[in-house]
Amino acid sequence: FKIAPNIERTAQALGIQLLNTTSQQNQRFENKIPQLEFLKELDNIPLPKSEIYLLGDTDHQKLISEFSDPYVIQFDRGHTGTGTLFIRSEDELEDLKSAFPKRPVRISQYIEGEAWTLNAVSTRWGTHYGGLSYQITGVEPLTRVSGATVGNDWSRAHSLPDNTISQIAMITKKVGDGLFEEGFRGLFGLDLIVDDKEKAFLIEINARQPASTGMHTKLMLKNQQIPLQLLHIAEFLGLTDSELIQNMTDRSRPAHSLTKLQDQLSEQDRSLGRDINASQCILRNSASGNITIAGDLGSGIYDRTDRDLSEQAIDDRYSIDHLDEDEFLLITATEGRIVTPGTEYARIQTYGSVLDNSGKLLPVLVDIINKLKGSTHEEATTT
């Protein structure tokens, strides 16, 4: 799902059509500062109180008074939560000011609540969405960064009340339609916070194919739904209405008109993916330097009741389609790969939840993550 100007230039030189939004549109709506300007133009989008400042002009006590304690600072660009900082002391702010005095940042009210993420697609046939998942953030031992996103738990979405689901659907439709009017096309994601009063706040837009798209697509196919990924592809291929019907219609649920097809999509929209019962967690390099993968545990399917974690997978296939209910899929970086700090090097996917009732990783997953960490080698650094 990578979007980059150099990819676009290469594709243009080779005469290749990219099935993706442009890097210009991606930067306009993904970067935190222009994104906030866009969102403030939309009607009735619930946002945390947010403003743009130059870091060097900020004052800790004034920001607490204006926003909250702690408050949130976001750099214009970041990745997997690493550009988001929760400021709890004047020293933390002063360190940032010293390092980046002329850097514009987005400063926001901190809202206590659960983090959620949703996949959506903006097309000429409307905005459609699904795959609402609890966003696993800052959970040890997956990461040492409190704001880093390290997984998705779709199985928890069924616990959200109907009024919260309606709020999220309204937010997504308004944002998706607004993006389309501004020329954005295709898949995008939304990050939200649901507070203790069951109110949903939009935190940010991910103006690209979300990282969970691959797994979400397989789960939608398993549920005999029309994947958002197909609508994304259809939009960029410029399919006509009749071509869309021909390519999107499931044989078990024929839709002989665009109206019937849109009715099917609207039915999917209403569920927001609450019929999905699966989750994944992502292991990132939390060392201070690069690590090298030893390859002691290979990709494949493992028994989630096996606390001994045999080094031999019970099945060497690597798709969630092939899992039984008591198994999990491990996807790891290849042996010898060098992984930079903060970068993903392993992923675990399973049916049900990867978390216990207190929000901690299941013990069997902690065991395999510790084993994966123990099989990596930290590279020596030079100065």
Side-chain angles (χ1 to χ4, degrees):
F1 56 85
K2 181 72 172 178
I3 297 175
N6 61 329
I7 295 175
E8 293 169 340
R9 289 192 295 269
T10 301
Q12 184 176 16
L14 295 173
I16 294 172
Q17 178 184 358
L18 291 177
L19 304 183
N20 237 344
T21 192
T22 65
S23 57
Q24 183 179 16
Q25 289 284 53
N26 165 256
Q27 291 170 14
R28 178 186 174 192
F29 295 111
E30 176 135 357
N31 291 1
K32 303 299 184 294
I33 292 175
Q35 179 188 119
L36 180 61
E37 295 168 352
F38 164 72
L39 289 174
K40 285 189 172 183
E41 293 175 357
L42 300 178
D43 292 333
N44 300 318
I45 296 293
L47 301 169
K49 185 177 183 180
S50 304
E51 298 294 343
I52 306 302
Y53 289 85
L54 281 179
L55 260 178
D57 296 339
T58 58
D59 176 84
H60 181 64
Q61 292 303 322
K62 288 182 179 180
L63 292 178
I64 289 175
S65 175
E66 179 74 13
F67 297 102
S68 57
D69 185 10
Y71 50 88
V72 183
I73 289 182
Q74 291 179 297
F75 291 101
D76 196 29
R77 301 179 67 179
H79 180 60
T80 63
T82 54
T84 299
L85 303 169
F86 303 95
I87 305 301
R88 294 177 169 85
S89 72
E90 186 168 0
D91 287 344
E92 289 177 313
L93 178 63
E94 291 303 318
D95 287 345
L96 282 178
K97 289 169 65 173
S98 297
F100 310 106
K102 300 298 183 182
R103 181 81 65 89
V105 292
R106 175 175 168 176
I107 301 182
S108 304
Q109 169 193 8
Y110 173 78
I111 294 178
E112 184 73 37
E114 291 187 335
W116 294 84
T117 187
L118 181 76
N119 295 340
V121 62
S122 179
T123 74
R124 73 196 78 173
W125 303 285
T127 297
H128 297 285
Y129 37 88
L132 179 65
S133 66
Y134 175 78
Q135 188 163 279
I136 304 172
T137 306
V139 173
E140 294 184 350
L142 296 168
T143 181
R144 292 190 300 189
V145 180
S146 61
T149 55
V150 287
N152 308 85
D153 192 336
W154 288 273
S155 68
R156 288 195 167 201
H158 71 273
S159 66
L160 287 175
D162 290 342
N163 68 308
T164 305
I165 293 297
S166 297
Q167 293 172 48
I168 294 172
M170 178 275 292
I171 292 168
T172 308
K173 183 75 166 58
K174 284 192 174 184
V175 171
D177 291 352
L179 288 171
F180 189 83
E181 289 177 5
E182 294 295 320
F184 180 92
R185 301 290 186 271
L187 281 162
F188 66 95
L190 298 182
D191 291 341
L192 307 109
I193 292 288
V194 176
D195 68 12
D196 58 3
K197 296 180 181 178
E198 301 176 347
K199 181 176 180 180
F201 293 85
L202 177 60
I203 302 302
E204 63 184 29
I205 305 171
N206 299 306
R208 52 182 160 73
Q209 297 184 52
S212 62
T213 296
M215 184 176 178
H216 181 213
T217 298
K218 292 182 179 183
L219 294 169
M220 293 190 79
L221 287 169
K222 183 178 176 64
N223 284 357
Q224 297 184 325
Q225 295 176 323
I226 298 171
L228 303 180
Q229 178 76 53
L230 280 181
L231 290 170
H232 172 97
I233 294 170
E235 175 64 33
F236 283 98
L237 289 178
L239 296 190
T240 64
D241 290 353
S242 60
E243 288 171 332
L244 179 75
I245 295 167
Q246 179 182 354
N247 285 278
M248 296 293 166
T249 299
D250 188 290
R251 292 179 182 177
S252 64
R253 303 175 67 192
H256 301 296
S257 70
L258 184 61
T259 300
K260 288 185 177 180
L261 181 60
Q262 288 178 325
D263 286 345
Q264 288 185 16
L265 290 168
S266 295
E267 181 183 336
Q268 291 182 195
D269 293 344
R270 282 190 290 273
S271 77
L272 265 78
R274 286 188 291 171
D275 45 6
I276 293 176
N277 183 31
S279 56
Q280 66 175 347
C281 60
I282 297 165
L283 178 58
R284 303 189 184 281
N285 174 14
S286 57
S288 57
N290 296 344
I291 59 173
T292 301
I293 304 300
D296 294 348
L297 284 174
S299 296
I301 295 172
Y302 291 78
D303 185 346
R304 65 186 282 172
T305 65
D306 179 13
R307 295 297 296 274
D308 293 332
L309 298 174
S310 167
E311 294 180 5
Q312 184 64 43
I314 59 176
D315 195 317
D316 61 2
R317 290 180 291 183
Y318 46 94
S319 172
I320 194 167
D321 310 55
H322 305 135
L323 287 185
D324 291 332
E325 295 296 326
D326 59 350
E327 297 172 341
F328 66 86
L329 171 66
L330 173 65
I331 305 170
T332 67
T334 54
E335 183 177 359
R337 179 179 168 184
I338 298 174
V339 181
T340 57
T343 301
E344 172 186 344
Y345 68 93
R347 183 175 295 223
I348 295 171
Q349 299 178 346
T350 188
Y351 293 116
S353 179
V354 294
L355 304 174
D356 62 20
N357 292 333
S358 65
K360 295 181 180 179
L361 281 180
L362 297 174
V364 66
L365 302 185
V366 173
D367 287 345
I368 197 167
I369 288 165
N370 287 333
K371 189 166 186 178
L372 284 164
K373 285 189 169 186
S375 69
T376 63
H377 307 297
E378 189 165 358
E379 299 291 306
T381 58
T382 59
T383 57

